[in-house]
Amino acid sequence: QLAFALESYLSKEQILELYMNHVYLGHGAFGFGEGIKFYFQKNPRELTKEEMVLLASLPSAPNKFSPLKNPEGSFQRVGAILVSFRNRGIYPNLEKKQFVSIYHKLS
């Protein structure tokens, strides 16, 4: 019911923008802008596809899949997302091994 109520006042694009600016990504970071700064110390335009996928893996369970607190669980979650992407033809050239360097850079 909440979704229908929101759609009567806002466009889907506005709802998505609000979500992306307020979703919790762990470690006190709310919104993808803060998440990018916290995890990668970059601007959004500087992100790699791998970094984008890692951030996209966080909203469902930011503490459980935190690459800082639980790198193995995070890595498994990223792998599951990649399988889903491959099945849908999204980023077919991304491989799980390409993410290893990201985890070494995080501290």
Side-chain angles (χ1 to χ4, degrees):
Q1 289 179 341
L2 179 60
F4 287 122
L6 282 173
E7 285 184 348
S8 68
Y9 292 102
L10 302 169
S11 69
K12 290 184 187 283
E13 290 81 11
Q14 290 171 314
I15 294 169
L16 178 62
E17 181 180 351
L18 283 169
Y19 173 78
M20 292 182 74
N21 286 327
H22 294 91
V23 66
Y24 184 62
L25 297 173
H27 305 282
F30 286 89
F32 281 92
E34 284 188 26
I36 291 166
K37 289 177 191 172
F38 176 79
Y39 288 103
F40 304 113
Q41 299 81 43
K42 292 183 175 184
N43 294 314
R45 292 178 190 219
E46 298 173 316
L47 288 183
T48 65
K49 289 177 185 172
E50 293 84 3
E51 291 165 338
M52 290 179 204
V53 171
L54 178 60
L55 281 176
S57 75
L58 295 173
S60 64
N63 291 320
K64 180 179 179 182
F65 298 122
S66 167
L68 301 176
K69 289 182 180 178
N70 183 9
E72 286 123 21
S74 173
F75 195 65
Q76 288 177 350
R77 174 75 175 136
V78 164
I81 290 171
L82 291 179
V83 168
S84 176
F85 278 8
R86 242 180 256 114
N87 292 339
R88 294 181 175 142
I90 303 169
Y91 298 139
N93 297 330
L94 279 183
E95 296 292 332
K96 197 172 175 182
K97 63 183 175 189
Q98 292 172 272
F99 288 81
V100 173
S101 66
I102 293 174
Y103 288 90
H104 291 296
K105 293 177 191 174
L106 294 172
S107 60

